[in-house]
Amino acid sequence: MTKLYKEPIFDVAQIAHVEILSNTPKETIVFFTDMLGMQVIEQINNQTYLRAYEDNYKYSLIVTESDEPGLGHVAWRTTSPQALERRVKALEASGNGIGWSTDQHGHGPAYQFTTPDGHLMEVFWEVEYFDCPVESRSKLLSRSQKRPLQGVPVRRLDHLNLMSSNPAADTEFLIETLGFKLREQIVDDGYVLGSWISVSNLMHELAIMQEPTGQKGKLHHVCYWYGVPQNLYDAADILKDHGYFIEIPPNKHGISQAFCMYAYEPSGNRIELFGDTGYLILDPDFKPITWQMKDVPGNGDTWIGAVFPDSFWNYGTPVTAPVTLEAVAE
């Protein structure tokens, strides 16, 4: 007898852009342009739009001036206009929908919603592609523009990691409403401490990790991709030389198998830099991988190198006053 599968949802195509908040916007922009080789596309009021040289769309990062660092919003592009309509209906039915926004820059109408933990997100279809000036066009027709000569230039936006008071609830919401697939997970005595999920063949476009004090809506990190591990050593060299804090030097994850590095941009947001993609998922019947928390330190977090510092598990933005889990439960 043929096994009955729940039909997968293929309505969301990819992560399109991320907005981060910064209380030091000028210094934050210098970090992304001078160090990571990103390009400022436009500055509108208190927002700066930036792109990496292999991003297809007009921009992939928005830096918004704010009183404190953190996540502004994350945007996902659907696979078609009809797919957008279907996801909007699902989001409305979930009770987490906010409504349509038509004043976004660089793309068409977007439907905004929040995760159960309060992270602001949106889905849209219509988008403005990057119109590269003739003098900046690469001879590689598959590349959006020439490789920049400034800094150690990142190639494209890769993924986002959020901190949550309830990773299981956020994971289930995104699987059910947007069609994410669970790839890897950390559990401790049955409690979900972290999930890595994706809508594509990438191992993840989104990770959700436990916020240890129960605070809601925090950002763990934004990740940009380089291409090869050597790029991370080059980036570490210039970041160290120019006084930027490197939390974790070039290393390799067990979860995702990707070559990684973590630094803080000046306002305090954590930025991850990928030196390879890890593994791809081509099997349509891929079975999620479950890690027990006792096996993660020295294996799941870092496959090569020292165990990650406590800050990796405890620090996120905005930086909030500690609260107890008992207080959150009340």
Side-chain angles (χ1 to χ4, degrees):
M1 182 177 178
T2 303
K3 183 179 179 181
L4 182 63
Y5 283 90
K6 183 177 180 180
E7 186 70 18
I9 300 168
F10 295 110
D11 285 348
V12 178
Q14 66 174 142
I15 187 171
H17 64 257
V18 174
E19 177 193 14
I20 62 170
L21 308 179
S22 171
N23 56 2
T24 59
K26 292 182 179 179
E27 292 83 357
T28 295
I29 292 164
V30 167
F31 172 87
F32 284 107
T33 55
D34 289 8
M35 299 295 108
L36 304 190
M38 295 183 68
Q39 176 185 355
V40 172
I41 297 301
E42 284 181 291
Q43 291 181 307
I44 303 176
N45 298 323
N46 68 334
Q47 294 187 308
T48 301
Y49 298 82
L50 301 99
R51 58 172 283 103
Y53 71 98
E54 286 192 354
D55 285 327
N56 288 322
Y57 306 147
K58 188 172 184 178
Y59 60 85
S60 62
L61 181 69
I62 307 171
V63 176
T64 299
E65 184 174 1
S66 181
D67 291 336
E68 58 185 3
L71 177 70
H73 77 277
V74 53
W76 307 92
R77 193 182 183 207
T78 62
T79 56
S80 69
Q82 297 90 335
L84 177 58
E85 292 178 7
R86 289 191 294 268
R87 289 313 96 210
V88 169
K89 289 180 180 178
L91 289 165
E92 289 176 337
S94 75
N96 287 82
I98 296 175
W100 288 96
S101 173
T102 58
D103 61 352
Q104 302 288 341
H105 178 66
H107 62 81
Y111 187 82
Q112 297 187 325
F113 63 96
T114 64
T115 64
D117 209 63
H119 302 97
L120 180 62
M121 297 188 177
E122 65 185 20
V123 286
F124 64 83
W125 163 247
E126 297 175 5
V127 69
E128 186 174 343
Y129 285 83
F130 178 59
D131 184 14
C132 186
V134 174
E135 65 273 13
S136 298
R137 291 178 186 171
S138 172
K139 292 181 179 179
L140 286 173
L141 299 183
S142 58
R143 179 176 285 172
S144 300
Q145 67 183 88
K146 293 177 182 176
R147 188 181 194 273
L149 298 177
Q150 188 168 354
V152 182
V154 291
R155 294 172 68 170
R156 61 166 175 81
L157 174 64
D158 190 87
H159 69 264
L160 182 74
N161 187 316
L162 304 175
M163 299 189 87
S164 168
S165 65
N166 190 339
D170 286 338
T171 300
E172 185 66 19
F173 167 76
L174 290 163
I175 289 173
E176 293 298 320
T177 60
L178 295 186
F180 279 83
K181 285 82 176 174
L182 178 62
R183 305 310 195 180
E184 298 197 38
Q185 200 162 57
I186 300 174
V187 300
D188 186 20
D189 196 23
Y191 183 84
V192 175
L193 291 173
S195 299
W196 283 256
I197 58 179
S198 70
V199 292
S200 72
N201 294 330
L202 293 176
M203 182 267 165
H204 70 304
E205 285 109 347
L206 182 64
I208 305 169
M209 290 173 49
Q210 178 70 48
E211 206 293 322
T213 67
Q215 295 282 355
K216 294 185 175 184
K218 294 175 70 171
L219 172 67
H220 190 271
H221 69 259
V222 176
C223 179
Y224 272 84
W225 182 67
Y226 278 113
V228 296
Q230 180 60 46
N231 296 138
L232 299 192
Y233 290 100
D234 296 335
D237 203 31
I238 66 167
L239 289 175
K240 180 71 174 180
D241 229 6
H242 289 270
Y244 292 97
F245 175 65
I246 298 174
E247 180 184 41
I248 299 169
N251 206 308
K252 182 181 176 68
H253 282 304
I255 295 171
S256 82
Q257 297 186 32
F259 209 76
C260 62
M261 170 182 158
Y262 293 87
Y264 292 2
E265 55 85 13
S267 75
N269 291 310
R270 179 189 285 106
I271 306 299
E272 183 181 16
L273 304 171
F274 255 23
D276 61 29
T277 58
Y279 65 92
L280 299 177
I281 298 174
L282 304 176
D283 178 6
D285 195 27
F286 179 84
K287 301 299 188 294
I289 297 167
T290 299
W291 293 75
Q292 299 299 320
M293 185 59 201
K294 63 182 178 61
D295 299 323
V296 170
N299 293 298
D301 53 358
T302 170
W303 187 247
I304 298 173
V307 173
F308 284 4
D310 289 344
S311 60
F312 180 80
W313 303 103
N314 299 323
Y315 176 83
T317 49
V319 180
T320 50
V323 298
T324 63
L325 290 176
E326 290 78 8
V328 173
E330 293 173 0

